[in-house]
Amino acid sequence: MEKKAYHVLLSGRVQHVGFRFWTQCLAIKLNIKGHIKNLPDGYTVELYAEGKVDRLEKFLELLKSSHPYAKVTSFEKKEIETKDYKDFTIIR
């Protein structure tokens, strides 16, 4: 199965609602590797994610609307080269 990687910026109500932890749990469940961090603007998170194409696409779709308290108003993704991350981490 083909593997892909994306750099993603998600904006809206994605900080102070448990979004990074929720994303990490979802990534572990779907075997997605990479990391997520809050950006200093207070309403954007930055995500690097890689994995098998079908799981990665499902993961990205769930990020847009499945969190119970977040509201994603902007979703920008760019395909990048894979970096062979070993796990999925939250950068603080």
Side-chain angles (χ1 to χ4, degrees):
M1 177 62 77
E2 184 185 0
K3 190 173 167 183
K4 281 190 176 183
Y6 290 106
H7 172 249
V8 182
L9 294 174
L10 299 104
S11 298
R13 189 173 60 231
V14 292
Q15 291 191 17
H16 309 293
V17 292
F19 190 78
R20 290 176 303 159
F21 178 73
W22 179 84
T23 299
Q24 182 183 43
C25 292
L26 184 60
I28 291 167
K29 182 178 177 181
L30 293 172
N31 199 30
I32 301 300
K33 311 299 184 192
H35 61 83
I36 189 169
K37 70 177 181 178
N38 285 340
L39 294 184
D41 64 8
Y43 58 87
T44 304
V45 293
E46 180 178 44
L47 167 71
Y48 289 88
E50 64 184 39
K52 292 183 180 177
V53 174
D54 57 338
R55 290 175 181 244
L56 185 57
E57 295 301 331
K58 180 178 181 178
F59 173 71
L60 295 176
E61 278 305 308
L62 290 170
L63 291 183
K64 291 179 187 178
S65 62
S66 295
H67 188 280
Y69 304 111
K71 179 166 178 56
V72 175
T73 57
S74 175
F75 182 91
E76 301 172 30
K77 82 175 180 180
K78 177 182 174 185
E79 189 171 349
I80 59 173
E81 288 188 36
T82 59
K83 297 181 181 180
D84 294 321
Y85 289 103
K86 301 299 179 212
D87 53 14
F88 192 93
T89 58
I90 296 171
I91 296 177
R92 301 196 187 277

